[in-house]
Amino acid sequence: MNERPQIQTAMLADERMDDHDEQRRVIRILDQWLSRTCHDLRSSLSGIRSWTAVLERTLPADRAAKTDRAIAGIKGGIEAQVEHIDRMLDQVRILGGSVALSRQPVLARTVVAAAVESARESMTTKDQQLQIDPGADDVIIHGDPRRLEQLVTMLLEFASERSDMGAVVRVRTGMDDDGWLFEVIDHAEPLSSIALFQAFDWLIDDDDRDPTCDRLRSVRLSVIRTLARLHGGSFDVTSGDVGCVFTVRLPLVP
């Protein structure tokens, strides 16, 4: 009587294993390709940076102000591109679980404060407000401070991007049996059940994807989840009455 459900469960388990194997294979290919591409891009940008410095030194001291603005714009563009390249490569390596963590006791409050400051620009651009309920931000969690700040910053920026202009993005902290809780509640259209099911699956074909959670968003959510898992924690997404609830759980200091 129970044979069919057991067969179906085994088939689903095999499909999930195949999906995980495929993701690992794709990540390895992306890592190799991005490493070569980023090396070439950095070399080109290094040349532009060097020649910009030569140009800046050889131009007369009484040059027009707009020339200085143009040079500053070139230099700023170079640094922005370098940062973008480094971020792409870093996120692919996070997905592959190939980043090293320097774990230590970290005060949760310092992680949240640093992440809020990092995410402030994107929220200010959309005239959004951040409402923080510090229920349990004075606890000590166990992790890499830089990577924890990256995780929380990415989550705040993701919620800001999804939320409407002038919206209030809410943050709650707390505790449960699994450790420290960090929740972000955005103010946007709640994700459908299909979008929630696809939220972390960035290999689904575009034609089969729910339009409210595109491939790039799935990649970013997967990076956040991987960072949480590398710290021995978890990351979940649920739909609320208004918007979505993003919940990170992280272990305390043992």
Side-chain angles (χ1 to χ4, degrees), residues 158-164 186-191 217 243-244 246:
F158 187 90
S160 171
E161 179 187 295
R162 267 184 37 89
S163 297
D164 303 324
D186 66 14
H187 194 284
E189 188 71 23
L191 292 178
R217 285 184 172 180
C244 287
F246 305 91

Side-chain angles (χ1 to χ4, degrees), residues 74-105:
I74 294 171
K75 293 164 70 174
I78 292 170
E79 298 309 317
Q81 289 301 311
V82 170
E83 182 180 346
H84 182 62
I85 290 167
D86 290 342
R87 187 185 304 119
M88 280 195 307
L89 189 56
D90 182 58
Q91 291 186 4
V92 169
R93 289 177 175 167
I94 289 171
L95 285 174
S98 58
V99 293
L101 298 182
S102 178
R103 298 194 184 197
Q104 61 190 67

Side-chain angles (χ1 to χ4, degrees), residues 94-97 221-231 235:
I94 289 171
L95 285 174
L221 289 175
S222 294
V223 170
I224 295 170
R225 183 175 67 174
T226 303
L227 280 172
R229 287 179 171 178
L230 287 172
H231 282 86
F235 174 54

